[in-house]
């Protein structure tokens, strides 16, 4: 009788997969170690029932040495915020910066360190910093090369200088400067960046003027007009669902009338096709309490696009592209408060899976077990 009761209480098959589909990814790490059957059910649930979605990453950093940094993630699959614990021996040499959604870097006169690792578990330190000293450069990882362009200090001879760091040879090389038409805007403040295939795209936010750069041939192409609507006063680019996308703010910085999304054709025409428009109630949340909205920041990965107002990131707009259609939602940024508003807030996104969380446990010198996941990543409770 006892054996029969125990068998009746067993949860497996489709029922177990459905239950696991409601469990946050961080807790599935422990669940996958319960037994072989549970491990199979966890991965089957992630493939067929509730797929993993890219995480929104928020890093809050003090503005002075030693640049103390706290990192959080939002998992749209489970709709939970997660506190990512600091890794031991990770030193921040300067302010943390983000580029094209998933690339983080730190730049000082003597160091250049960067990572594209989803959870910042591994960093690469260049053997030498860029030869040209820059304060607000445009930085992008294109396959096995890091491109550093523009943003040069006033005393440098060429404010549009471009350098490439080869990850294979660990050496710097110079090449053709940025187009002269970007002379007054060649800095990360005024330029939006995206990487598609083997090219880096730079878009002037105020005009939509866009160029592409191939680090292999070291050549620029363009210009392209990525201002598909004359009502757009500021735009940003990203890569989502395999396409280059443009997000445009309509109206004026004092009165945002709307936000639209376009995808860019992959041929030489670079024509824009409208995909959707943000509902007005979400536009109001996007604007927040800002008196002036000068730009929109885009963090995109896979089919997920996160948009926020850099002057008031209290709400992040989440866009999911499904079968070519836009599904809009909003996420309250629980990381932003009166204290963090005075600090540097860096926002990006990344693809994360269970193996990344397991690697984080190893890097943190934490033995991952069914009851120890919280040491690696713990849920933030509002």
């Amino acid at each position: 009788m006892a054996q029969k009761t125990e068998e009746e209480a067993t949860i497996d098959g489709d029922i177990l997969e459905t239950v696991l589909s409601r469990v946050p990814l961080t807790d599935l790490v422990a669940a996958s170690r319960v037994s072989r059957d549970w491990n199979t059910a966890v991965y089957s649930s992630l493939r067929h029932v509730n797929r993993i979605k890219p995480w929104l990453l928020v890093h809050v950093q003090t503005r002075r040495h030693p640049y103390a940094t706290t990192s959080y993630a939002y998992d749209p699959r489970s709709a939970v915020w997660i506190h990512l614990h600091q890794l031991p021996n990770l030193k921040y040499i300067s302010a943390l910066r983000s580029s094209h959604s998933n690339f983080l870097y730190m730049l000082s006169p003597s160091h250049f360190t960067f990572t594209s690792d989803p959870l910042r578990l591994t960093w690469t330190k260049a053997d030498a910093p860029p030869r040209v000293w820059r304060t607000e450069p445009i930085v992008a990882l294109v396959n096995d090369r890091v491109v550093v362009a523009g943003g040069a200090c006033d005393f440098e001879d060429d404010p549009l200088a471009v350098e490439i760091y080869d990850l294979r040879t660990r050496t710097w090389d110079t090449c053709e400067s940025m187009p002269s038409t970007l002379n007054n805007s060649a800095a990360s403040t005024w330029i939006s960046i995206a990487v598609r295939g083997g090219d880096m795209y730079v878009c002037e936010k105020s005009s939509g003027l866009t160029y592409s750069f191939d680090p292999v041939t070291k050549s620029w192409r363009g210009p392209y007009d990525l201002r598909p609507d004359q009502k757009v006063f500021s735009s940003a680019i990203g890569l989502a669902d395999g396409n280059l996308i443009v997000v445009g703010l309509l109206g004026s910085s004092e009165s945002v009338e709307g936000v639209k999304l376009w995808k860019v054709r992959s041929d030489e025409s670079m024509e824009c096709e409208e995909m959707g428009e943000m509902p007005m109630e979400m536009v109001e949340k996007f604007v927040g309490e800002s008196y002036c909205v000068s730009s929109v920041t885009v963090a995109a990965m896979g089919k997920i696009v996160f948009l926020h107002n850099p002057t008031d990131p209290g709400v992040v707009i989440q866009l999911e592209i499904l079968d070519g259609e836009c599904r809009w939602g909003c996420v309250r940024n629980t990381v932003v408060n009166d204290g963090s508003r005075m600090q540097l807030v860096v926002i990006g996104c990344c693809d994360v899976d269970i193996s990344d969380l397991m690697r984080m446990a190893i890097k943190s010198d934490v033995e991952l077990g069914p009851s120890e996941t919280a040491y690696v990543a713990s849920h933030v409770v509002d």
Side-chain angles (χ1 to χ4, degrees), residues 20 31-44 358:
L20 293 173
S32 67
R33 290 176 170 262
V34 171
S35 67
R36 181 175 299 177
D37 289 341
W38 274 56
N39 181 277
T40 300
V42 165
Y43 285 94
S44 179
M358 290 181 175

Side-chain angles (χ1 to χ4, degrees), residues 235-249:
S235 56
I237 58 176
L239 186 71
D241 199 22
N243 297 302
L244 188 66
I245 60 168
V246 179
V247 178
L249 302 182

Side-chain angles (χ1 to χ4, degrees), residues 57-271:
L57 298 178
V58 181
H59 309 282
V60 180
Q61 186 182 59
T62 58
R63 295 181 179 272
R64 294 183 178 182
H65 184 79
Y67 303 104
T69 305
T70 307
S71 300
Y72 300 86
Y74 175 77
D75 178 6
R77 171 187 174 275
S78 311
V80 296
W81 280 96
I82 301 159
H83 177 207
L84 302 176
H85 290 219
Q86 186 65 268
L87 299 179
N89 303 321
L90 177 59
K91 295 181 179 179
Y92 292 90
I93 60 174
S94 66
L96 190 65
R97 304 180 189 185
S98 176
S99 176
H100 63 85
S101 301
N102 67 332
F103 187 70
L104 293 174
Y105 68 95
M106 295 177 281
L107 177 64
S108 74
S110 58
H111 294 86
F112 178 50
T113 308
F114 51 89
T115 182
S116 59
D117 187 285
L119 297 177
R120 306 173 299 117
L121 301 181
T122 57
W123 290 77
T124 299
K125 180 181 178 181
D127 290 347
R131 300 167 186 172
V132 176
W133 173 231
R134 309 163 191 268
T135 54
E136 289 188 276
I138 298 157
V139 182
L141 175 64
V142 186
N143 296 327
D144 52 9
R145 295 175 173 87
V146 179
V147 181
V148 182
C153 295
D154 294 337
F155 58 78
E156 293 288 351
D157 294 334
D158 184 5
L160 299 172
V162 178
E163 297 176 79
I164 300 175
Y165 185 75
D166 193 315
L167 296 177
R168 298 166 301 177
T169 62
R170 300 184 66 85
T171 57
W172 288 98
D173 194 8
T174 57
C175 54
E176 180 184 356
S177 297
M178 298 179 70
S180 58
T181 50
L182 298 175
N183 186 60
N184 295 323
S185 59
S188 56
T189 301
W190 314 113
I191 294 289
S192 178
I193 315 165
V195 174
R196 180 175 68 178
D199 294 328
M200 174 185 75
Y201 292 82
V202 296
C203 173
E204 189 177 57
K205 296 178 182 179
S206 60
S207 66
L209 185 68
T210 301
Y211 292 87
S212 66
F213 177 73
D214 184 339
V216 176
T217 62
K218 302 179 182 179
S219 60
W220 292 88
R221 293 190 299 273
Y224 309 103
D225 182 9
L226 294 191
R227 189 183 183 187
D229 190 322
Q230 292 304 306
K231 292 183 178 180
V232 173
F233 68 89
S234 183
S235 56
I237 58 176
L239 186 71
D241 199 22
N243 297 302
L244 188 66
I245 60 168
V246 179
V247 178
L249 302 182
L250 283 65
S252 67
S253 59
E254 293 79 16
S255 178
V256 180
E257 299 175 359
V259 180
K260 286 187 177 182
L261 175 76
W262 294 266
K263 70 176 180 180
V264 182
R265 292 184 60 174
S266 58
D267 57 26
E268 282 298 318
S269 71
M270 295 283 283
E271 293 182 356

